[in-house]
Amino acid sequence: MEQRNNVTEFVLLGLTQSLQGQKILFAVFFLIYVVTMAGNLLIVVTVVLSPALDAPMFFFLGYLSFMDAVYSNTVTPNMMIDLLHVRKTISFEACMTQLFFEHFFGGAEILLLVVMAYDRYVAICKPLHYPTIMNQRLCVQLLVLAWAGGFVHAVVHILCVYNLPFCGSNVIDHFVCDMYPLLKLACTDTHVIGLTVLANDGAICVVIFSLLLVSYGVILHSLKGLSQEGRRKALSTCVSHIAVVVLFFVPCIFMYVRTPSTLPIDKPLTVFYTVITPMLNPLIYTLRNAEMKSAMKKLWTRK
């Protein structure tokens, strides 16, 4: 513990050392942040205020948008502030806090995507039993389970890194606090912890991603028994879900399914799944969902 206190703050090198590049990135990320917050909060408000969107799918979609909005706030505002400063520092406590919430909301979102896949499976493969199976009580229980799973996932990260001795360099070649850059700075053997991270992040991502692809494969195969209109509607919904799953999981798998190390591509990949994906999710769902678009039009026309 005494060794760890030798480092009370970390220096973040950020995305680029170019002052001109930092100004350009600030403008780009500010625009992305505004679009992300506006799009996700619009979906949340629409789901809450539209009586027509009372199906479990929209209940989960509203919480997915809420998670995306909060998840974006764990990274993007601090990153934009750092782009305006030459020296970018973050205290040890703030670093641990960012690490916790980044993996808390990220883990909860992963589990929520699993829940949404299960909802689509029941709706398409067992339509007659759908109202009975996906009742309000089960929806709330599944949502709580997603939040609890995200919490456990984040706590494991904090337990792994909090008491590590940081007694040497405090320079992190990244724009956020994350596990592999922190393990690189620790003044001890982190091999076992690295394997824990690989299991907690990498293995979980691969397993869940594979299960999601298989489940959507089963769903798409079952569409043959539906009418043409039902097939078109279900296909549109599933394609949106698959797109979001791929956008979220592929960068995460590349980041964490490897031995503990830091690579130059880590920064753009982290930007993609922490900044870009939360912006794309509401666009994907609203552009491909006729019910959501109709509810938005009615909501704003009524106002």
Side-chain angles (χ1 to χ4, degrees), residues 100 103-109 111 144-155:
F100 174 82
H103 286 275
F104 173 41
F105 291 109
E109 183 162 335
L111 294 175
V144 171
L145 183 64
W147 284 113
F151 180 79
V152 173
H153 173 73
V155 167

Side-chain angles (χ1 to χ4, degrees), residues 15-282:
L15 288 168
T16 178
Q17 300 299 307
S18 167
L19 295 179
Q20 185 64 27
Q22 290 181 20
K23 293 177 181 178
I24 295 173
L25 288 175
F26 176 84
V28 172
F29 288 135
F30 178 76
L31 179 62
I32 291 174
Y33 179 69
V34 171
V35 173
T36 299
M37 297 305 295
N40 283 295
L41 292 179
L42 177 61
I43 289 180
V44 172
V45 171
T46 302
V47 171
V48 170
L49 298 181
S50 299
L53 303 180
D54 59 348
M57 179 179 73
F58 297 108
F59 172 77
F60 294 129
L61 177 57
Y63 273 98
L64 178 67
S65 294
F66 173 75
M67 286 183 183
D68 276 331
V70 180
Y71 184 52
S72 180
N73 275 297
T74 64
V75 174
T76 309
N78 286 338
M79 180 177 62
M80 290 193 299
I81 292 172
D82 286 341
L83 288 170
L84 299 177
H85 295 85
V86 176
R87 180 176 170 83
K88 306 164 182 59
T89 61
I90 183 170
S91 69
F92 180 86
E93 289 75 15
C95 180
M96 295 298 104
T97 301
Q98 184 182 65
L99 180 68
F100 174 82
F101 283 110
E102 178 187 342
H103 286 275
F104 173 41
F105 291 109
E109 183 162 335
I110 285 176
L111 294 175
L112 184 59
L113 290 174
V114 175
V115 171
M116 294 175 73
Y118 175 71
D119 171 70
R120 289 301 83 204
Y121 169 77
V122 176
I124 295 171
C125 298
K126 299 183 179 181
L128 297 179
H129 301 284
Y130 180 69
T132 304
I133 297 175
M134 296 303 296
N135 55 68
Q136 186 178 18
R137 180 180 178 182
L138 179 62
C139 290
V140 173
Q141 289 174 340
L142 291 173
L143 182 64
V144 171
L145 183 64
W147 284 113
F151 180 79
V152 173
H153 173 73
V155 167
V156 170
H157 283 78
I158 297 300
L159 292 177
C160 285
V161 77
Y162 187 81
N163 285 320
L164 286 178
F166 296 103
C167 51
S169 172
N170 68 335
V171 178
I172 298 177
D173 187 13
H174 215 307
F175 62 91
V176 294
C177 284
D178 206 357
M179 288 299 293
Y180 286 164
L182 287 171
L183 294 182
K184 186 178 179 180
L185 298 182
C187 305
T188 187
D189 181 12
T190 59
H191 178 71
V192 174
I193 296 177
L195 293 177
T196 303
V197 175
L198 181 62
N200 192 31
D201 289 328
I204 289 176
C205 281
V206 171
V207 171
I208 292 180
F209 182 58
S210 301
L211 289 175
L212 286 173
L213 291 183
V214 170
S215 66
Y216 280 116
V218 172
I219 292 172
L220 293 175
H221 182 265
S222 69
L223 294 182
K224 293 186 297 183
L226 300 179
S227 64
Q228 184 175 357
E229 176 62 23
R231 186 162 54 245
R232 184 198 63 79
K233 185 177 178 181
L235 183 61
S236 177
T237 302
C238 287
V239 168
S240 299
H241 286 216
I242 293 170
V244 170
V245 166
V246 171
L247 286 173
F248 192 88
F249 277 92
V250 171
C252 290
I253 289 173
F254 192 89
M255 283 282 296
Y256 294 108
V257 184
R258 66 177 195 235
T259 56
S261 59
T262 56
L263 301 175
I265 199 174
D266 288 353
K267 292 182 185 181
L269 282 175
T270 305
V271 168
F272 189 83
Y273 74 79
T274 61
V275 180
I276 306 298
T277 299
M279 176 191 68
L280 294 178
N281 284 356

